[in-house]
Amino acid sequence: MESQGRSIGDDSSISPELDRLIRQRGRDLRLRKLDQQNAVKIVNHLIDSLLEFLKNNDDQPFFREVSVLTSGSYYELVKINKPNEFDIMLKLKVPRLVFSELEEYQGLFYKIKLLKATRTEIQHFLLEDERTVSATKIKAEMYRLVRKFISNHFQGEGWVIRRNLVNSPAVTLEFKAKDDDVMSVDIVPTLEVPQGWPQAARAGPNIDKWLGKKCRRQFVSKAVYFVPKRPKGRNLKDDAKESWRISFSHIEKEMMQYHGNKKTCCESNSNKCCRKLCLRLLKCLIEGLKQQYPKELEPLCSYHGKTAFFHVLSDRVQDSFWSPSQLSISFMKLFGYFERCALNGSLLHFFVREHNLFSPPAFPKRALLFLTNVLREQRELGFPVLKVPSPTPALVPDTDAVIHPISGTDSIVASERTFKHVYVCLLVVIVCVGIGCVFQN
């Protein structure tokens, strides 16, 4: 991978200015401990209260027994700027399930069915065949219960529930703090299927040289999770509307935690690496581009950067490649790979290798072309999106009078200008007074 496209992500082109920018921006992206403590306290109180509410709710017994799975960038220690986004998966207790792949979606979306007929509480969330688990019904009920929970227990405490989005698996809550900062919590109902990984992902992730064959076998032996998310696009078939998307967030979290080629990586200050810092920088770049071009880059998300990150880790496996002194070089390697994926229109899912995350309709060609152009522009201009904007002064000073002191012959010129100015003003006043007297007579 590193031998291709030397002009893209070539470490030999890193100027001293760019090196300083990358290192300074990396330091700025760290979360403040006090902010983390305050945010976690608020979120933990919310989730503990929600679990208690679900456990004792009389409306829907199916949701009484749930367990929490934390996922996402905060819990993977790659969150940037502020701890303002949390992902909480609520694993539902279900009978034995089986899945079948929706072939037109290259191994990412599935139909979930009961292995045997049942009269337990899940029967209220089945389709007409009394076997297929309805993604829309479970998500709608989760939304209703969370809305009731907020209304009964957190009314007036700053929490609000956002509008339900068709293509999102989450029920999203937002909390507005006193300083106007907004924090969001995504609550995602999740099904666990211990059937083994589907055929499209059974080979496992490409981590043999990075984390080892034993680690890959351990991952593949774990259960997989499914979340109620339908594919993007119009005129979906009924199966697609009720489909579940496979999730490897628990594996991704583990890979983030044990990310080194050697077990001792990041266990002490002497063994630190810059892997996660490189991902934070790429996330910062993606977030900045989306803020500048929200419509043009609507399909782009941080998961695209995370996927590219895993591919680069599986190629640059040695811990020495990722030493803190190699931060700028490592980031440029990561950025270069991401740019080449956009240029080639191919970013393969790290677990489901048949699925291209840069393919339409999920990522339209027009958006991909725009992304390719802005990535090239960022590289050529020295990554202006990573620069922190300087505060604009309230008043612009007179540079002639303030910045450059007057001395010598300059003072004579300044004095002449001052006298001329005063003379003109007096002349105008005399003329005005004279005209006024004429009219008065």
Side-chain angles (χ1 to χ4, degrees):
M1 178 171 60
E2 294 183 28
S3 61
Q4 300 175 0
R6 299 298 294 179
S7 61
I8 298 179
D10 186 0
D11 57 86
S12 64
S13 62
I14 300 177
S15 65
E17 292 78 14
L18 179 57
D19 180 66
R20 284 194 295 270
L21 172 64
I22 292 173
R23 293 185 182 279
Q24 182 59 51
R25 199 70 183 98
R27 288 190 290 268
D28 295 341
L29 292 175
R30 290 178 295 186
L31 303 181
R32 293 172 52 197
K33 288 187 177 181
L34 182 60
D35 291 342
Q36 294 183 67
Q37 293 171 357
N38 293 337
V40 169
K41 183 178 179 181
I42 294 172
V43 173
N44 286 347
H45 175 56
L46 174 77
I47 299 304
D48 290 343
S49 302
L50 176 61
L51 293 178
E52 187 68 21
F53 168 80
L54 293 176
K55 180 180 178 182
N56 298 316
N57 91 89
D58 297 326
D59 293 0
Q60 191 45 255
F62 177 59
F63 285 83
R64 287 177 183 169
E65 296 186 59
V66 296
S67 56
V68 173
L69 300 169
T70 55
S71 62
S73 60
Y74 178 81
Y75 297 102
E76 294 169 349
L77 304 181
V78 290
K79 186 72 182 73
I80 62 173
N81 297 324
K82 294 182 179 181
N84 55 5
E85 293 178 353
F86 294 83
D87 298 322
I88 307 296
M89 300 172 73
L90 292 185
K91 188 176 71 171
L92 304 171
K93 187 176 181 180
V94 293
R96 190 69 181 267
L97 301 172
V98 293
F99 54 75
S100 57
E101 178 185 338
L102 299 183
E103 295 182 0
E104 59 267 41
Y105 299 105
Q106 296 83 41
L108 221 56
F109 294 91
Y110 294 80
K111 179 193 291 188
I112 307 294
K113 302 181 71 172
L114 296 174
L115 184 63
K116 298 179 180 179
T118 181
R119 293 185 178 180
T120 58
E121 289 80 2
I122 197 176
Q123 64 180 327
H124 302 293
F125 303 96
L126 302 178
L127 298 180
E128 294 180 356
D129 62 0
E130 297 184 350
R131 287 287 185 90
T132 303
V133 183
S134 169
T136 56
K137 288 183 179 181
I138 285 185
K139 184 184 169 185
E141 184 63 16
M142 183 87 262
Y143 184 87
R144 188 188 71 82
L145 288 171
V146 172
R147 184 172 59 184
K148 181 179 180 181
F149 159 70
I150 293 296
S151 177
N152 292 352
H153 297 276
F154 282 83
Q155 187 71 35
E157 295 189 24
W159 286 103
V160 294
I161 187 168
R162 285 179 53 182
R163 183 173 60 89
N164 201 359
L165 300 177
V166 174
N167 285 106
S168 171
V171 178
T172 301
L173 293 172
E174 285 188 348
F175 177 81
K176 190 171 185 179
K178 295 180 180 179
D179 56 0
D180 289 336
D181 281 346
V182 176
M183 179 170 59
S184 67
V185 178
D186 281 350
I187 301 171
V188 184
T190 308
L191 302 180
E192 180 182 23
V193 182
Q195 178 181 335
W197 286 23
Q199 187 64 39
R202 191 155 296 172
N206 179 27
I207 59 173
D208 288 4
K209 295 180 180 180
W210 168 31
L211 300 177
K213 295 180 181 179
K214 180 180 178 181
C215 190
R216 176 176 56 81
R217 288 194 292 267
Q218 289 175 347
F219 286 161
V220 176
S221 66
K222 296 178 182 290
V224 290
Y225 296 106
F226 293 88
V227 298
K229 180 178 176 66
R230 63 168 63 178
K232 286 187 177 181
R234 300 179 179 178
N235 302 320
L236 297 177
K237 298 179 181 178
D238 291 341
D239 284 348
K241 292 178 181 178
E242 294 290 353
S243 64
W244 296 75
R245 177 167 172 156
I246 192 169
S247 171
F248 298 93
S249 57
H250 57 308
I251 307 295
E252 293 168 3
K253 182 181 175 181
E254 198 166 339
M255 289 195 303
M256 287 290 193
Q257 184 177 0
Y258 306 104
H259 53 261
N261 183 237
K262 296 179 180 178
K263 303 299 181 184
T264 56
C265 184
C266 290
E267 286 187 355
S268 65
N269 289 330
S270 60
N271 293 317
K272 291 290 185 182
C273 78
C274 66
R275 287 179 174 92
K276 290 184 179 181
L277 186 49
C278 286
L279 178 56
R280 290 193 198 106
L281 286 164
L282 185 60
K283 283 164 62 71
C284 177
L285 184 139
I286 290 174
E287 187 175 297
L289 291 178
K290 284 184 66 68
Q291 289 176 357
Q292 289 185 16
Y293 311 106
K295 292 183 179 179
E296 295 86 349
L297 295 179
E298 188 274 331
L300 181 66
C301 67
S302 62
Y303 193 76
H304 293 105
K306 186 179 182 181
T307 301
F309 175 67
F310 284 140
H311 282 297
V312 174
L313 292 191
S314 67
D315 184 77
R316 302 182 78 235
V317 298
Q318 296 297 326
D319 292 341
S320 59
F321 293 162
W322 300 92
S323 65
S325 63
Q326 301 289 310
L327 173 61
S328 297
I329 294 174
S330 298
F331 170 70
M332 290 304 296
K333 296 292 186 185
L334 174 58
F335 175 83
Y337 179 79
F338 187 65
E339 186 181 0
R340 283 194 297 274
C341 288
L343 187 63
N344 298 329
S346 177
L347 177 61
L348 301 182
H349 194 284
F350 193 66
F351 299 90
V352 184
R353 303 180 197 177
E354 298 177 4
H355 189 90
N356 179 13
L357 296 177
F358 276 164
S359 64
F363 213 109
K365 291 183 178 180
R366 179 178 296 180
L368 188 61
L369 179 61
F370 190 90
L371 174 63
T372 302
N373 291 333
V374 295
L375 290 177
R376 184 186 67 252
E377 181 183 58
Q378 286 294 314
R379 173 171 50 81
E380 292 175 349
L381 297 179
F383 298 96
V385 76
L386 293 181
K387 297 177 182 177
V388 178
S390 301
T392 303
L395 294 174
V396 179
D398 183 352
T399 55
D400 289 333
V402 179
I403 299 179
H404 305 292
I406 300 175
S407 62
T409 57
D410 292 338
S411 62
I412 300 175
V413 176
S415 299
E416 291 177 355
R417 289 174 180 172
T418 304
F419 282 119
K420 287 180 180 179
H421 181 73
V422 173
Y423 178 80
V424 171
C425 290
L426 287 174
L427 184 61
V428 170
V429 171
I430 293 171
V431 171
C432 291
V433 171
I435 293 174
C437 292
V438 171
F439 278 105
Q440 197 170 21
N441 293 332

